[in-house]
Amino acid sequence: MAPSATMTETTMHQLSNVKLATKEVPPAVEAAPTDSSSWAQDVHFLGDKDGKVKLRSPPSFHNVEDTRTYMKQHLAAAFRVFAKQGFDEGVAGHISLRDPENPEHFWINPLSTHFSQIRVSDLVLVSENGEVLPGGAQSAINGPAFAIHSAIHRARPDLNAACHAHSVYGKAFSCFGRPIEMLYQDALRFYNDLAVYPRYGGTVLTAEEGERIAKALGPTCRSVILQNHGMITCGRTVDEAAFLFIALDRCCHAQMLANAATCPGFEKKYIAKEEAEFTHKKSGNSNKMWLAFQPYYDQVVAEDPRVLE
């Protein structure tokens, strides 16, 4: 059952400004709240003249237990969404989510459980040293997953979630070792917000390789293309990170279609800087990305409510 929540028009970006009954949420997972006008501007919705028509926004909670439950429910649902998108492939692929009480720990999927079968109770809590902790499922995790995600969580305290999967179009486009081009509106979600790791270091088995990937992501980007490998997307919420992964995979597909169609008389037209910057701010902000994931969340929960167990 979902935790009780007070729905607000303020954005908490994976539990920003949450007050606990006994202690505060650690600063690493807090984010400055925005007022209702900022939320409305970020997602640019329209309502009635009296302000009674509301758009759902991230909930806020009064204790860490409900906070954690909400986060884990959305993490488990993200795996189900990835399965429906065809992002599953054997034991490859992982999504991590920082714990709201102990930000050096994170939740991740168990090794060798299909994305379509993952439930909240299957999620594993991992320490900063890669040890499976009490409180979550007592299951083994993917070693390369820990190397990648632990490095990202250490390097980027502003990001609480990271997604990596071997999607078909992400893999195909990664072989070019370059970012997507700003050719169409949806690509602008990644304008000046997409890095490239310009090498292939083999299966990520060492902390050093994970740290190189985190360094390539840089201090501001949310997504990175791993040359000859695939891609990683991150966010303040798992909802944001997951939707960005879906969007980037589709952008990689569209980019390759555009490249294949290019010929004399069909040259590519690039979007100008001013329009790109404006559209990135309006269409790629964290609030909009959280909202964009909610229909996917609704779909998988409606199909199988056991994902929340």
Side-chain angles (χ1 to χ4, degrees):
M1 180 178 295
S4 59
T6 301
M7 296 301 294
T8 69
E9 286 298 312
T10 60
T11 299
M12 57 174 192
H13 298 312
Q14 205 75 18
L15 320 163
S16 52
N17 206 36
V18 177
K19 302 297 182 181
L20 307 186
T22 56
K23 57 183 175 180
E24 303 288 339
V25 171
V29 294
E30 289 187 1
T34 57
D35 60 26
S36 58
S37 61
S38 177
W39 169 260
Q41 290 171 5
D42 280 351
V43 300
H44 40 84
F45 76 94
L46 300 176
D48 64 311
K49 65 182 180 65
D50 298 321
K52 296 179 180 178
V53 174
K54 302 292 186 181
L55 180 67
R56 60 178 167 182
S57 59
S60 59
F61 301 94
H62 299 294
N63 61 75
V64 75
E65 291 79 15
D66 285 347
T67 295
R68 183 181 290 115
T69 297
Y70 169 86
M71 293 173 67
K72 291 171 66 179
Q73 288 174 344
H74 283 245
L75 175 58
F79 290 109
R80 300 291 186 103
V81 171
F82 271 33
K84 291 181 70 68
Q85 295 291 322
F87 296 158
D88 54 295
E89 185 170 342
V91 297
H94 19 87
I95 306 174
S96 66
L97 180 60
R98 196 189 302 273
D99 185 76
E101 185 175 20
N102 301 295
E104 70 277 11
H105 301 162
F106 58 87
W107 296 88
I108 200 165
N109 50 306
L111 183 63
S112 194
T113 298
H114 196 270
F115 286 177
S116 68
Q117 302 299 312
I118 289 178
R119 300 178 299 173
V120 167
S121 56
D122 296 316
L123 299 173
V124 182
L125 182 62
V126 187
S127 76
E128 66 272 28
N129 299 316
E131 299 164 340
V132 174
L133 296 172
Q138 297 301 290
S139 303
I141 65 165
N142 187 304
F146 175 77
I148 293 171
H149 291 264
S150 62
I152 290 174
H153 286 298
R154 283 196 306 272
R156 293 291 299 275
D158 59 313
L159 300 174
N160 294 317
C163 303
H164 173 60
H166 292 178
S167 63
V168 173
Y169 300 118
K171 286 190 295 186
F173 188 74
S174 75
C175 72
F176 298 109
R178 59 181 298 170
I180 60 172
E181 297 173 321
M182 299 298 109
L183 294 172
Y184 42 88
Q185 179 169 295
D186 291 343
L188 300 179
R189 294 185 179 113
F190 303 95
Y191 179 73
N192 285 342
D193 200 0
L194 175 61
V196 175
Y197 180 46
R199 58 170 286 178
Y200 176 66
T203 300
V204 184
L205 296 176
T206 65
E208 290 76 16
E209 182 67 2
E211 289 166 1
R212 284 191 287 266
I213 291 172
K215 184 177 180 180
L217 182 64
T220 60
C221 288
R222 292 176 295 178
S223 305
V224 57
I225 290 177
L226 311 178
Q227 183 178 300
N228 306 113
H229 187 169
M231 56 197 194
I232 297 171
T233 60
C234 306
R236 296 179 183 179
T237 64
V238 69
D239 311 68
E240 177 184 5
F243 181 75
L244 283 173
F245 195 96
I246 295 169
L248 184 54
D249 188 69
R250 293 182 179 180
C251 284
C252 289
H253 187 189
Q255 175 77 65
M256 291 186 290
L257 289 175
N259 289 352
T262 301
C263 64
F266 286 84
E267 293 83 7
K268 291 181 285 188
K269 306 296 184 182
Y270 295 89
I271 297 173
K273 177 182 178 181
E274 182 177 356
E275 288 76 13
E277 289 178 343
F278 175 81
T279 305
H280 174 72
K281 181 178 180 181
K282 289 296 183 181
S283 298
N285 65 73
S286 294
N287 292 337
K288 191 68 175 290
M289 298 300 90
W290 177 89
L291 185 64
F293 182 74
Q294 301 318 299
Y296 296 93
Y297 175 86
D298 294 342
Q299 182 184 39
V300 298
V301 172
E303 289 179 349
D304 185 5
R306 293 174 301 174
V307 65
L308 304 181
E309 295 175 354

